[in-house]
């Protein structure tokens, strides 16, 4: 996956938007920067297929030894697929945040929220400012 | 990081080690360096260094120091022999816990013995004020800012400190302390800690702290020494079931319900809180401190409510994922009826019930 082709939320989720059978499907995960900031992940809670997600609202949470962190949906739509294998293999997020570490796929109901997301360069700049 | 945070004499060392700094009880402190789990396991398996300079260090003087300390301590101070250190609690007359402390009675280089105390950072000014308000108070000196405190913890700690001081630190019994001197000036070494491992805590002059830290880091390199932050300190103390003020201990918790009975000595002495403790024990009915192991991987945190079927039976005071046991663990206060080890309960974690079992404390005890 080319990181330049992804969109990013300022809350550190990444989004890949693809066309699939006349629908737009967004794959969502969290960035390597976010994984490195969280450290020592022990638990993830993801929604079930069919859940409606809304841009800026929580779709799950990821928990480290130290603290729990909400996962915010960067898009509006319906969850059509969940990466269930992550639950027992959280180390995937450390090794492979952008491919094996995907969390949910969402069928977009509205594309307006995509315009609020950052491109790769803008997101890189945000990470540099935060670290 | 608040601009008004205090920094310890080791602040520059933490920055050089790329520590993640947080504000804790008014101090800028390292929460972690490379990661909590790595630092936790290094402490269990090798040795690590903790900056605990935020802890309050008080010393006492005056002919009545021993009598005064005995009166404000749940544990008898008069019988503490020179060279010894004891864990104790300070409470109000109504049993509300003001702090948990270590009381030191150490021989000094002048041939006299002196009393000193280590208190929680969050309680330092409160406890100093409380002492000074007492009608029989001795002189209380706050040494926190002129000193630093470094904990050396782990199975390799004693060997490392012995090599550094050219002195057999294993000759120091547990909960004992001694003054030592070296190139860096004088220091207090005590066989104490807050991790459940063997080790020492060092109190050194603020000006010497950085040199002591760097010397131990380089001497300990072959033993795999690592710096460890407050994050690992918390997971380590929780596995060892050591209470933390603000969680298992607070002014809204009665000293009699903590289960710290080894630190409460009522017979043959008078002290602040004694009659309230005797009354609470007689009446019973207060929730008790227990350990919980949760099923699955999701840690329960402070404030999570605990249920036995439909009945709320208590609340979690500290919870984490145990790096040693690879399972979520927690301490909680539970109604006595639900507190028997082996009892299966449910913990509400943000609206979802998770199964948990009451277990014996501590979760971890070194071999």
């Amino acid at each position: 996956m080319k990181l330049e082709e992804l969109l990013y939320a300022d809350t550190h989720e990444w989004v890949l938007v693809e066309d699939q059978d006349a629908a737009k499907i967004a794959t969502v995960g969290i960035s390597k920067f976010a994984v490195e900031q969280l450290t020592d992940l022990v638990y993830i809670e993801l929604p079930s297929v069919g859940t409606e997600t809304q841009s800026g609202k929580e779709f799950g949470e990821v928990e480290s030894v130290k603290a729990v962190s909400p996962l915010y949906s960067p898009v509006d739509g319906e969850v059509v697929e969940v990466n269930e294998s992550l639950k027992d293999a959280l180390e995937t997020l450390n090794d492979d945040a952008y491919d094996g570490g995907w969390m949910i796929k969402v069928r977009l109901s509205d594309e307006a929220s995509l315009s609020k997301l950052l491109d790769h360069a803008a997101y890189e700049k945000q990470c540099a400012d935060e670290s | 990081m608040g601009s008004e945070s205090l920094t310890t004499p080791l602040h520059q060392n933490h920055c050089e080690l790329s520590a993640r700094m947080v504000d804790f009880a008014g101090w800028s402190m390292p929460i972690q360096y490379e990661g909590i789990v790595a630092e936790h396991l290094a402490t269990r398996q090798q040795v690590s260094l903790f900056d605990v300079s935020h802890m309050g260090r008080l010393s006492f003087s005056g002919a009545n120091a021993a009598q005064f300390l005995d009166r404000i301590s749940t544990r008898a101070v008069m019988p503490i022999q020179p060279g010894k250190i004891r864990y104790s609690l300070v409470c109000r007359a109504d049993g509300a816990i003001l702090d948990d402390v270590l009381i030191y009675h150490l021989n000094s280089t002048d041939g006299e013995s002196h009393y000193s105390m280590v208190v929680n950072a969050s309680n330092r000014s409160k406890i100093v004020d409380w002492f000074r308000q007492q009608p029989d108070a001795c002189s209380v000196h706050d040494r926190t800012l002129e000193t630093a405190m470094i904990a050396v913890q782990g199975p390799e700690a004693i060997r490392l400190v012995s090599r550094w001081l050219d002195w057999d630190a294993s000759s120091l019994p547990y909960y004992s302390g001694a003054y030592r001197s070296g190139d860096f000036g004088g220091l207090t070494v005590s066989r104490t800690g807050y991790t459940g491992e063997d080790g020492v805590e060092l109190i050194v002059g603020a000006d010497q702290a950085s040199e002591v830290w760097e010397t131990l880091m380089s001497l300990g390199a072959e033993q795999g020494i690592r710096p460890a932050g407050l994050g690992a300190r918390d997971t380590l103390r929780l596995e060892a079931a050591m209470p933390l003020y603000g969680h298992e201990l607070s002014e809204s918790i009665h000293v009699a319900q903590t289960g710290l009975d080894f630190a409460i000595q009522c017979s043959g002495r008078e002290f602040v809180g004694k009659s309230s403790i005797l009354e609470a024990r007689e009446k019973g009915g207060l929730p008790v401190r227990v350990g919980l192991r949760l099923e699955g991987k999701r840690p329960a945190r402070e404030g999570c409510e605990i249920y036995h079927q439909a009945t709320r039976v208590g609340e979690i005071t500290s919870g984490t994922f145990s790096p040693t046991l690879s399972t979520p663990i927690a301490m909680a206060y539970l109604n006595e009826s639900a507190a028997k080890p082996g009892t299966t309960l449910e913990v509400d974690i943000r609206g979802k019930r998770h199964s948990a079992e009451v277990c014996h404390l501590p979760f971890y005890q070194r071999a």
Side-chain angles (χ1 to χ4, degrees), chain B residues 270-291:
Chain B
E270 292 302 321
F271 61 92
V272 178
K274 177 181 168 182
S275 56
S276 178
I277 291 166
L278 294 177
E279 194 184 323
R281 284 180 176 169
E282 171 98 22
K283 250 167 74 183
L286 287 171
V288 294
R289 185 167 64 99
V290 301

Side-chain angles (χ1 to χ4, degrees), chain B residues 161-280:
Chain B
V161 170
S162 299
R163 201 148 52 89
W164 170 52
L165 292 176
D166 194 19
W167 166 68
D168 181 12
S170 71
S171 66
L172 199 61
Y174 289 110
Y175 280 84
S176 297
Y179 290 105
R180 304 297 304 172
S181 57
D183 312 337
F184 42 80
L187 82 165
T188 302
V189 187
S190 61
R191 192 92 176 258
T192 52
Y194 194 51
T195 61
E197 289 306 324
D198 197 359
V200 300
E201 292 173 303
L202 310 168
I203 298 175
V204 301
D207 295 343
Q208 282 77 48
S210 198
E211 190 192 335
V212 168
W213 176 277
E214 284 163 15
T215 304
L216 286 168
M217 283 298 290
S218 70
L219 262 185
E222 64 191 68
Q223 286 155 299
I225 197 168
R226 293 175 197 231
L230 293 184
R233 185 169 154 87
D234 191 47
T235 53
L236 289 158
R237 70 92 195 166
L238 189 40
E239 285 184 348
M242 293 167 161
L244 174 60
Y245 197 90
H247 295 258
E248 287 72 40
L249 309 175
S250 76
E251 287 183 34
S252 51
I253 292 168
H254 196 285
V255 67
Q257 69 183 111
T258 58
L260 299 168
D261 292 353
F262 69 93
I264 302 173
Q265 295 172 328
C266 289
S267 65
R269 57 188 289 265
E270 292 302 321
F271 61 92
V272 178
K274 177 181 168 182
S275 56
S276 178
I277 291 166
L278 294 177
E279 194 184 323

Side-chain angles (χ1 to χ4, degrees), chain A residues 37 40 45 61 63-64, chain B residues 20 36 298 301 350 352:
Chain A
Q37 289 296 305
D40 299 323
E45 177 91 0
E61 60 186 36
E63 190 145 9
S64 71
Chain B
R20 205 173 289 177
I36 293 172
R298 191 183 205 185
R301 306 291 183 179
R350 293 178 291 284
K352 271 195 192 167

Side-chain angles (χ1 to χ4, degrees), chain A residues 62-86:
Chain A
V62 63
E63 190 145 9
S64 71
V65 169
K66 186 71 197 157
V68 59
S69 306
L71 300 166
Y72 295 105
S73 179
V75 295
D76 300 318
E78 182 191 340
V79 176
V80 292
E81 208 178 328
V82 176
N83 187 357
E84 299 288 349
S85 69
L86 269 188

